Amino acid sequence: MIIGLTGGIGSGKSTVARAFESLGASWVDADIVAREIVAPGEPALSAIIDYFGSNIVKQDGTLDRAALRSIIFEDPPKREWLESLTHPIIRKRLVAHLTSLSHDSPYVLLVSPLLFESGQNMLVARTIVVDVPTDVQLSRTLARDDVNPKQVRAILAAQMSREERLANADDVIDNSGDYDFMMRQVERLDNIYRTR
């Protein structure tokens, strides 16, 4: 069984995924796959350079994600172009990873911040939303990432609203408490998923 795990920026998706992993579940992260497909030598990176120009590439030939992020969150049509290029490539690679992992795991998690927005929820049997209040998302993201508050608000605005995510969830993990509080919820869901 494939379980989709999503949540807004700063909600703690990776922490929750690692908690499931500690119980024996495998997972693939769409963000990591998204970075793989724009690595030097990948066709997607060439197309991005052709469209946005060479100023979005660092000296070492890697994509300057911060520069690209500042462009696409100021210009929705450019973000749409980028998503139309990358989402199908990401989906194909995700399916390959999920297929490979499913042989040795009781269930597999597809961790994706844009699970619903990208249509990746069509690849899964159930969905988990990792939920925290919006002010917690903002403070965690500012503490963790090299972004300013305006960029974080733009990212939040581009993602599905908290209310919409929760309405689409099969299961919810409240990640606003401490690690033990989160882990008890993960253990409860792990027991459910193993019996399906």
Side-chain angles (χ1 to χ4, degrees):
M1 182 165 61
I2 300 171
I3 311 289
L5 189 150
T6 193
I9 188 170
S11 61
K13 294 177 295 297
S14 296
T15 301
V16 171
R18 285 190 290 273
F20 277 104
E21 183 179 39
S22 74
L23 300 174
S26 298
W27 57 289
V28 60
D29 188 325
D31 275 350
I32 293 171
V33 171
R35 283 191 281 279
E36 287 175 5
I37 68 145
V38 294
E42 290 281 347
L45 180 60
S46 299
I48 291 167
I49 293 167
D50 288 346
Y51 186 82
F52 289 98
S54 58
N55 56 328
I56 52 111
V57 180
K58 295 179 182 176
Q59 296 238 331
D60 64 0
T62 60
L63 181 64
D64 186 338
R65 296 175 69 80
L68 183 60
R69 187 170 45 231
S70 69
I71 294 168
I72 64 169
F73 286 108
E74 294 289 327
D75 191 336
K78 288 183 178 174
R79 187 180 83 237
E80 289 166 13
W81 179 90
L82 182 66
E83 289 173 351
S84 72
L85 169 74
T86 58
H87 284 186
I89 301 168
I90 292 167
R91 184 186 186 96
K92 184 176 180 182
R93 205 160 294 184
L94 283 173
V95 168
H97 285 305
L98 291 166
T99 302
S100 172
L101 291 171
S102 66
H103 301 299
D104 301 315
S105 184
Y107 56 91
V108 180
L109 297 173
L110 166 54
V111 182
S112 176
L114 300 175
L115 184 75
F116 298 117
E117 297 92 327
S118 67
Q120 293 169 0
N121 59 309
M122 303 310 255
L123 300 172
V124 305
R126 289 191 69 76
T127 58
I128 304 169
V129 167
V130 181
D131 184 54
V132 296
T134 305
D135 61 323
V136 174
Q137 287 181 268
L138 184 63
S139 63
R140 283 183 182 173
T141 304
L142 289 171
R144 178 193 71 189
D145 295 348
D146 184 26
V147 291
N148 63 47
K150 183 181 175 187
Q151 280 184 318
V152 177
R153 286 189 185 88
I155 293 167
L156 286 169
Q159 292 183 338
M160 181 177 280
S161 74
R162 179 182 183 200
E163 294 75 22
E164 285 179 282
R165 258 194 311 276
L166 290 170
N168 282 291
D170 294 310
D171 302 303
V172 177
I173 292 179
D174 176 355
N175 198 23
S176 60
D178 64 15
Y179 184 84
D180 290 340
F181 176 64
M182 178 270 295
M183 194 66 200
R184 285 193 299 274
Q185 297 171 79
V186 168
E187 288 168 347
R188 182 182 66 78
L189 289 176
D190 176 71
N191 286 329
I192 293 168
Y193 299 154
R194 286 173 183 274
T195 61
R196 291 195 173 212

